[in-house]
Amino acid sequence: MAIAAIALSAGCTDQIIDNNTGSRFVTPSATGAISDPAAGNERIVNISGNGYAYEAGNARNGDIVAVAGIIPGTSASPTPGPDHGSTTYSGRYEMVTVGGFFLNDGKVVGFSRPEAGDIALSVDFAARTIRGTADDLTVNGEFNGNVLSGNVRYDGISGDLRGVMGGDKAVGAFHGESSERIFAGGFYVTPD
């Protein structure tokens, strides 16, 4: 009888954690500020003020969330046509992960960890793709004009990608989640 109660309790805890963690896209302000999560504890705005922003922390409702978005007004030059072949865009990515979730006085808590590094992405103008891997992050994007979309994978966890693509740069924002971890971040790359 006691074993069944423990198993039920563990299942309920997992469900509470799953229901109170998540990731999503947001629209930051023109300065990169993100109004939700209101008490975010990790935040980055692209240094030029024209790129991406991300944040992880507690939302107003108490959930733990990781959010990312492209700052309004971020633009890029027109993308070259298919006859331009392929090239490499290089730059940096930055992100935050939150995991190790547990209940503390009925509230979900976790541990955040920032991560950053260099990234090189292969751009194929004929196929309209931008792809690459850095550390545990894999980018698999496609573009139509200046609109970048696709997916990412971080340490085996799938996520979504949005951004801006052009002949002069690519700016991406991404987020993803699993029952174990949530993440959000972005990248800023330019042609080599």
Side-chain angles (χ1 to χ4, degrees), residues 28-29 31-34 40-49 51-56 67-71 92-96 114-116 172-174 184-187:
S29 73
T31 63
I34 296 173
N41 55 11
E42 297 289 339
R43 181 172 168 276
I44 186 71
V45 178
N46 182 276
I47 196 166
S48 69
Y52 62 89
Y54 69 88
E55 186 172 86
V67 298
I70 298 297
I71 296 172
R92 294 208 31 97
Y93 76 93
E94 297 188 30
M95 62 185 293
V96 62
E115 187 169 323
F174 53 83
F187 61 81

Side-chain angles (χ1 to χ4, degrees), residues 17 33 35 43 52 57 62 69 75-77 112 132 143 147 166 180 183-184 188:
I17 291 171
S35 61
R43 181 172 168 276
Y52 62 89
S75 62
S77 66
S112 65
F143 52 93
V147 177
E180 307 286 320
F183 67 87
Y188 184 99

Side-chain angles (χ1 to χ4, degrees), residues 34-135:
I34 296 173
S35 61
D36 189 24
N41 55 11
E42 297 289 339
R43 181 172 168 276
I44 186 71
V45 178
N46 182 276
I47 196 166
S48 69
N50 185 23
Y52 62 89
Y54 69 88
E55 186 172 86
N58 294 98
R60 289 183 180 96
N61 66 1
D63 291 354
I64 297 178
V65 296
V67 298
I70 298 297
I71 296 172
T74 299
S75 62
S77 66
T79 53
D83 58 335
H84 280 79
S86 60
T87 190
T88 300
Y89 280 37
S90 297
R92 294 208 31 97
Y93 76 93
E94 297 188 30
M95 62 185 293
V96 62
T97 66
V98 183
F101 300 117
F102 62 97
L103 289 178
N104 184 11
D105 285 336
K107 293 185 179 187
V108 178
V109 295
F111 300 98
S112 65
R113 181 179 63 126
E115 187 169 323
D118 295 331
I119 190 167
L121 301 174
S122 298
V123 178
D124 184 331
F125 292 107
R128 312 306 271 176
T129 60
I130 180 168
R131 296 182 174 144
T133 299
D135 302 317

